[in-house]
Amino acid sequence: MLRISGIDKSYGDTQILKRCSIEVAPKETIVIIGPSGSGKSTLLRCVNLLETIDAGKILFEGRDVTRERRHEHLVRQQIGMVFQNFELFSHLSAVENIMLAPVTVLGMSRHDAHDLALGLLDKVRLRNRAEAFPDELSGGQQQRVAIARALAMKPKLMLYDEPTSALDPEMISEVLDVMTDLSAEGMTSVVVTHEMGFARRAADKIVFMDAGEVIVTASSEQFFSGVVHERARRFLDQILH
């Protein structure tokens, strides 16, 4: 479904991504891990065309989306993204936040969009909070609404950029449980996270990045049972102990 092929990205004289290549098959969950500043979030932003690349290609369902900048809004309809800080509209209720894009972008009727939004709130276990505004929701609840909002566009691929990094520890599991459910249902996903329990449980493949490069790509079982690169092993030792 997604092929990232040899992409480079620089900001001025600082190179952030160096010849990065990753392949994601339909229904796979790929977890990208690595130290802060290794380029993980930038890579996701390039996939969703929020950043331009300097070299290489990003193929989505066989199409080179890096050459389709004029149609980037159509690409983003098929690639959902969940950010660290929720990005909900504070003046809209949970159900209205989810309804907004289907109505304004897809031209769905408000009645159908409302039904869709309630169904998605069921999926993220928040049906009882449909009329609550963001400031009435916990951080974990807001992030689950953000996931439902991304799903409302019926994307083929979901990108998660450290979705639990802004949450208190007791709220992390409620978000990861929803993400795990979506992966189990076959949603193709690429997740940047430091949550190793989620990576073990939900990932088909682990990608380890450092200093802008993809260092290791391995199955979850292979990665955690015997990391094949010393830098990745040191990172795991630091984060697990």
Side-chain angles (χ1 to χ4, degrees):
M1 180 177 287
L2 177 70
R3 177 176 293 171
I4 300 167
S5 180
I7 67 170
D8 292 342
K9 172 65 181 177
S10 296
Y11 296 114
D13 294 331
T14 303
Q15 189 166 2
I16 306 300
L17 300 176
K18 306 170 186 175
R19 307 297 295 170
C20 292
S21 297
I22 299 172
E23 293 189 7
V24 185
K27 299 186 178 182
E28 267 192 332
T29 293
I30 307 296
V31 170
I32 303 176
I33 65 173
S36 297
S38 58
K40 307 181 300 295
S41 294
T42 300
L43 183 69
L44 284 196
R45 291 176 63 84
C46 289
V47 172
N48 208 32
L49 305 185
L50 294 171
E51 302 282 357
T52 57
I53 62 174
D54 301 324
K57 293 182 179 180
I58 298 173
L59 302 178
F60 178 64
E61 295 191 314
R63 296 177 7 245
D64 185 355
V65 297
T66 54
R67 298 183 182 276
E68 298 186 19
R69 303 298 305 188
R70 290 181 300 126
H71 306 295
E72 60 189 32
H73 63 290
L74 298 176
V75 173
R76 291 198 195 107
Q77 287 180 26
Q78 299 179 72
I79 302 177
M81 189 160 181
V82 176
F83 299 89
Q84 297 178 28
N85 293 317
F86 325 138
E87 309 291 347
L88 298 177
F89 291 105
S90 61
H91 65 291
L92 298 178
S93 67
V95 71
E96 290 168 334
N97 263 283
I98 298 167
M99 291 170 59
L100 186 61
V103 170
T104 58
V105 178
L106 301 181
M108 188 179 293
S109 72
R110 287 190 60 81
H111 178 271
D112 289 346
H114 190 265
D115 287 347
L116 171 67
L118 290 180
L120 290 170
L121 285 169
D122 265 336
K123 183 178 285 288
V124 300
R125 308 169 192 177
L126 282 174
R127 176 71 173 255
N128 65 328
R129 304 294 281 153
E131 300 303 327
F133 288 84
D135 64 1
E136 299 172 322
L137 299 172
S138 69
Q141 290 171 335
Q142 289 186 60
Q143 191 62 292
R144 283 186 280 158
V145 172
I147 292 172
R149 181 181 59 182
L151 292 173
M153 295 298 287
K154 301 181 180 177
K156 298 178 179 179
L157 170 66
M158 284 284 284
L159 308 176
Y160 301 89
D161 183 11
E162 299 199 36
T164 60
S165 65
L167 300 180
D168 292 333
E170 65 269 20
M171 298 176 186
I172 289 174
S173 63
E174 64 191 48
V175 174
L176 295 179
D177 286 348
V178 167
M179 293 167 58
T180 301
D181 289 348
L182 291 171
S183 292
E185 292 169 9
M187 172 58 73
T188 310
S189 306
V190 181
V191 185
V192 170
T193 186
H194 289 292
E195 297 296 332
M196 294 300 103
F198 171 81
R200 285 179 184 271
R201 183 169 74 247
D204 296 296
K205 288 192 299 196
I206 305 291
V207 172
F208 175 74
M209 292 183 65
D210 188 30
E213 297 182 89
V214 172
I215 305 297
V216 176
T217 300
S219 70
S220 178
E221 180 180 0
Q222 178 188 10
F223 186 86
F224 285 108
S225 63
V227 179
V228 293
H229 193 280
E230 179 59 30
R231 179 65 186 92
R233 187 177 293 111
R234 291 202 310 272
F235 174 78
L236 272 187
D237 286 344
Q238 291 171 349
I239 205 167
L240 294 177
H241 297 101

PDB file of all heavy atoms in Angstrom, residues 128-144:
ATOM      1  N   ASN A 128     -21.102   7.776  25.077  1.00  0.00           N
ATOM      2  CA  ASN A 128     -21.768   8.526  26.159  1.00  0.00           C
ATOM      3  C   ASN A 128     -21.232   9.941  26.318  1.00  0.00           C
ATOM      4  O   ASN A 128     -21.774  10.735  27.091  1.00  0.00           O
ATOM      5  CB  ASN A 128     -21.642   7.767  27.483  1.00  0.00           C
ATOM      6  CG  ASN A 128     -20.205   7.658  27.958  1.00  0.00           C
ATOM      7  OD1 ASN A 128     -19.287   7.581  27.146  1.00  0.00           O
ATOM      8  ND2 ASN A 128     -20.001   7.622  29.262  1.00  0.00           N
ATOM      9  N   ARG A 129     -20.177  10.291  25.564  1.00  0.00           N
ATOM     10  CA  ARG A 129     -19.589  11.632  25.656  1.00  0.00           C
ATOM     11  C   ARG A 129     -19.771  12.409  24.353  1.00  0.00           C
ATOM     12  O   ARG A 129     -19.075  13.408  24.116  1.00  0.00           O
ATOM     13  CB  ARG A 129     -18.099  11.539  25.997  1.00  0.00           C
ATOM     14  CG  ARG A 129     -17.793  10.767  27.279  1.00  0.00           C
ATOM     15  CD  ARG A 129     -18.327  11.494  28.503  1.00  0.00           C
ATOM     16  NE  ARG A 129     -17.444  12.592  28.881  1.00  0.00           N
ATOM     17  CZ  ARG A 129     -17.849  13.670  29.529  1.00  0.00           C
ATOM     18  NH1 ARG A 129     -19.125  13.824  29.847  1.00  0.00           N
ATOM     19  NH2 ARG A 129     -16.987  14.613  29.855  1.00  0.00           N
ATOM     20  N   ALA A 130     -20.738  12.013  23.553  1.00  0.00           N
ATOM     21  CA  ALA A 130     -20.928  12.601  22.223  1.00  0.00           C
ATOM     22  C   ALA A 130     -21.135  14.107  22.266  1.00  0.00           C
ATOM     23  O   ALA A 130     -20.642  14.837  21.404  1.00  0.00           O
ATOM     24  CB  ALA A 130     -22.110  11.933  21.512  1.00  0.00           C
ATOM     25  N   GLU A 131     -21.860  14.604  23.264  1.00  0.00           N
ATOM     26  CA  GLU A 131     -22.194  16.030  23.319  1.00  0.00           C
ATOM     27  C   GLU A 131     -21.209  16.842  24.157  1.00  0.00           C
ATOM     28  O   GLU A 131     -21.381  18.050  24.331  1.00  0.00           O
ATOM     29  CB  GLU A 131     -23.617  16.209  23.864  1.00  0.00           C
ATOM     30  CG  GLU A 131     -24.687  15.523  23.027  1.00  0.00           C
ATOM     31  CD  GLU A 131     -24.687  15.971  21.569  1.00  0.00           C
ATOM     32  OE1 GLU A 131     -24.360  17.144  21.310  1.00  0.00           O
ATOM     33  OE2 GLU A 131     -24.994  15.147  20.690  1.00  0.00           O
ATOM     34  N   ALA A 132     -20.174  16.194  24.672  1.00  0.00           N
ATOM     35  CA  ALA A 132     -19.191  16.904  25.492  1.00  0.00           C
ATOM     36  C   ALA A 132     -18.242  17.718  24.610  1.00  0.00           C
ATOM     37  O   ALA A 132     -17.920  17.322  23.485  1.00  0.00           O
ATOM     38  CB  ALA A 132     -18.388  15.910  26.325  1.00  0.00           C
ATOM     39  N   PHE A 133     -17.821  18.867  25.124  1.00  0.00           N
ATOM     40  CA  PHE A 133     -16.843  19.693  24.424  1.00  0.00           C
ATOM     41  C   PHE A 133     -15.435  19.283  24.861  1.00  0.00           C
ATOM     42  O   PHE A 133     -15.257  18.670  25.928  1.00  0.00           O
ATOM     43  CB  PHE A 133     -17.097  21.174  24.715  1.00  0.00           C
ATOM     44  CG  PHE A 133     -18.326  21.703  24.027  1.00  0.00           C
ATOM     45  CD1 PHE A 133     -19.592  21.544  24.598  1.00  0.00           C
ATOM     46  CD2 PHE A 133     -18.229  22.324  22.788  1.00  0.00           C
ATOM     47  CE1 PHE A 133     -20.728  22.013  23.951  1.00  0.00           C
ATOM     48  CE2 PHE A 133     -19.356  22.792  22.132  1.00  0.00           C
ATOM     49  CZ  PHE A 133     -20.611  22.636  22.712  1.00  0.00           C
ATOM     50  N   PRO A 134     -14.425  19.592  24.042  1.00  0.00           N
ATOM     51  CA  PRO A 134     -13.068  19.142  24.371  1.00  0.00           C
ATOM     52  C   PRO A 134     -12.611  19.471  25.782  1.00  0.00           C
ATOM     53  O   PRO A 134     -11.962  18.640  26.430  1.00  0.00           O
ATOM     54  CB  PRO A 134     -12.216  19.850  23.308  1.00  0.00           C
ATOM     55  CG  PRO A 134     -13.122  19.913  22.115  1.00  0.00           C
ATOM     56  CD  PRO A 134     -14.479  20.199  22.697  1.00  0.00           C
ATOM     57  N   ASP A 135     -12.954  20.675  26.295  1.00  0.00           N
ATOM     58  CA  ASP A 135     -12.479  21.016  27.641  1.00  0.00           C
ATOM     59  C   ASP A 135     -13.215  20.257  28.736  1.00  0.00           C
ATOM     60  O   ASP A 135     -12.869  20.365  29.918  1.00  0.00           O
ATOM     61  CB  ASP A 135     -12.538  22.523  27.882  1.00  0.00           C
ATOM     62  CG  ASP A 135     -13.954  23.091  27.856  1.00  0.00           C
ATOM     63  OD1 ASP A 135     -14.915  22.313  27.667  1.00  0.00           O
ATOM     64  OD2 ASP A 135     -14.103  24.315  28.017  1.00  0.00           O
ATOM     65  N   GLU A 136     -14.219  19.486  28.357  1.00  0.00           N
ATOM     66  CA  GLU A 136     -14.934  18.625  29.307  1.00  0.00           C
ATOM     67  C   GLU A 136     -14.432  17.182  29.242  1.00  0.00           C
ATOM     68  O   GLU A 136     -14.932  16.325  29.972  1.00  0.00           O
ATOM     69  CB  GLU A 136     -16.433  18.659  29.017  1.00  0.00           C
ATOM     70  CG  GLU A 136     -17.061  20.042  29.135  1.00  0.00           C
ATOM     71  CD  GLU A 136     -18.496  20.096  28.659  1.00  0.00           C
ATOM     72  OE1 GLU A 136     -18.834  19.426  27.653  1.00  0.00           O
ATOM     73  OE2 GLU A 136     -19.289  20.823  29.290  1.00  0.00           O
ATOM     74  N   LEU A 137     -13.471  16.934  28.391  1.00  0.00           N
ATOM     75  CA  LEU A 137     -12.942  15.582  28.197  1.00  0.00           C
ATOM     76  C   LEU A 137     -11.519  15.489  28.728  1.00  0.00           C
ATOM     77  O   LEU A 137     -10.760  16.459  28.700  1.00  0.00           O
ATOM     78  CB  LEU A 137     -12.942  15.227  26.708  1.00  0.00           C
ATOM     79  CG  LEU A 137     -14.296  15.217  25.994  1.00  0.00           C
ATOM     80  CD1 LEU A 137     -14.092  15.049  24.496  1.00  0.00           C
ATOM     81  CD2 LEU A 137     -15.195  14.117  26.558  1.00  0.00           C
ATOM     82  N   SER A 138     -11.130  14.311  29.195  1.00  0.00           N
ATOM     83  CA  SER A 138      -9.748  14.078  29.592  1.00  0.00           C
ATOM     84  C   SER A 138      -8.870  14.047  28.334  1.00  0.00           C
ATOM     85  O   SER A 138      -9.360  13.960  27.203  1.00  0.00           O
ATOM     86  CB  SER A 138      -9.624  12.747  30.330  1.00  0.00           C
ATOM     87  OG  SER A 138      -9.841  11.667  29.416  1.00  0.00           O
ATOM     88  N   GLY A 139      -7.555  14.082  28.539  1.00  0.00           N
ATOM     89  CA  GLY A 139      -6.645  14.006  27.400  1.00  0.00           C
ATOM     90  C   GLY A 139      -6.826  12.721  26.606  1.00  0.00           C
ATOM     91  O   GLY A 139      -6.821  12.736  25.366  1.00  0.00           O
ATOM     92  N   GLY A 140      -6.991  11.602  27.308  1.00  0.00           N
ATOM     93  CA  GLY A 140      -7.192  10.334  26.617  1.00  0.00           C
ATOM     94  C   GLY A 140      -8.485  10.315  25.818  1.00  0.00           C
ATOM     95  O   GLY A 140      -8.536   9.777  24.706  1.00  0.00           O
ATOM     96  N   GLN A 141      -9.525  10.905  26.384  1.00  0.00           N
ATOM     97  CA  GLN A 141     -10.797  10.979  25.662  1.00  0.00           C
ATOM     98  C   GLN A 141     -10.680  11.880  24.432  1.00  0.00           C
ATOM     99  O   GLN A 141     -11.209  11.553  23.359  1.00  0.00           O
ATOM    100  CB  GLN A 141     -11.892  11.476  26.596  1.00  0.00           C
ATOM    101  CG  GLN A 141     -12.280  10.468  27.662  1.00  0.00           C
ATOM    102  CD  GLN A 141     -13.211  11.055  28.714  1.00  0.00           C
ATOM    103  OE1 GLN A 141     -13.232  12.271  28.959  1.00  0.00           O
ATOM    104  NE2 GLN A 141     -13.990  10.197  29.361  1.00  0.00           N
ATOM    105  N   GLN A 142      -9.982  13.005  24.577  1.00  0.00           N
ATOM    106  CA  GLN A 142      -9.794  13.890  23.426  1.00  0.00           C
ATOM    107  C   GLN A 142      -9.032  13.179  22.305  1.00  0.00           C
ATOM    108  O   GLN A 142      -9.380  13.323  21.126  1.00  0.00           O
ATOM    109  CB  GLN A 142      -9.026  15.149  23.848  1.00  0.00           C
ATOM    110  CG  GLN A 142      -9.828  16.105  24.708  1.00  0.00           C
ATOM    111  CD  GLN A 142      -9.065  17.394  24.972  1.00  0.00           C
ATOM    112  OE1 GLN A 142      -8.720  18.113  24.047  1.00  0.00           O
ATOM    113  NE2 GLN A 142      -8.804  17.672  26.241  1.00  0.00           N
ATOM    114  N   GLN A 143      -8.016  12.403  22.669  1.00  0.00           N
ATOM    115  CA  GLN A 143      -7.256  11.713  21.632  1.00  0.00           C
ATOM    116  C   GLN A 143      -8.095  10.636  20.960  1.00  0.00           C
ATOM    117  O   GLN A 143      -7.971  10.416  19.742  1.00  0.00           O
ATOM    118  CB  GLN A 143      -5.970  11.114  22.230  1.00  0.00           C
ATOM    119  CG  GLN A 143      -4.975  10.615  21.191  1.00  0.00           C
ATOM    120  CD  GLN A 143      -4.463  11.699  20.278  1.00  0.00           C
ATOM    121  OE1 GLN A 143      -5.220  12.249  19.464  1.00  0.00           O
ATOM    122  NE2 GLN A 143      -3.175  12.022  20.382  1.00  0.00           N
ATOM    123  N   ARG A 144      -8.979   9.999  21.702  1.00  0.00           N
ATOM    124  CA  ARG A 144      -9.860   9.004  21.079  1.00  0.00           C
ATOM    125  C   ARG A 144     -10.855   9.677  20.138  1.00  0.00           C
ATOM    126  O   ARG A 144     -11.195   9.122  19.080  1.00  0.00           O
ATOM    127  CB  ARG A 144     -10.581   8.191  22.154  1.00  0.00           C
ATOM    128  CG  ARG A 144      -9.675   7.137  22.786  1.00  0.00           C
ATOM    129  CD  ARG A 144     -10.433   6.259  23.734  1.00  0.00           C
ATOM    130  NE  ARG A 144     -10.638   6.881  25.030  1.00  0.00           N
ATOM    131  CZ  ARG A 144     -11.585   6.532  25.882  1.00  0.00           C
ATOM    132  NH1 ARG A 144     -12.462   5.574  25.570  1.00  0.00           N
ATOM    133  NH2 ARG A 144     -11.687   7.127  27.053  1.00  0.00           N
TER     134      ARG A 144
END
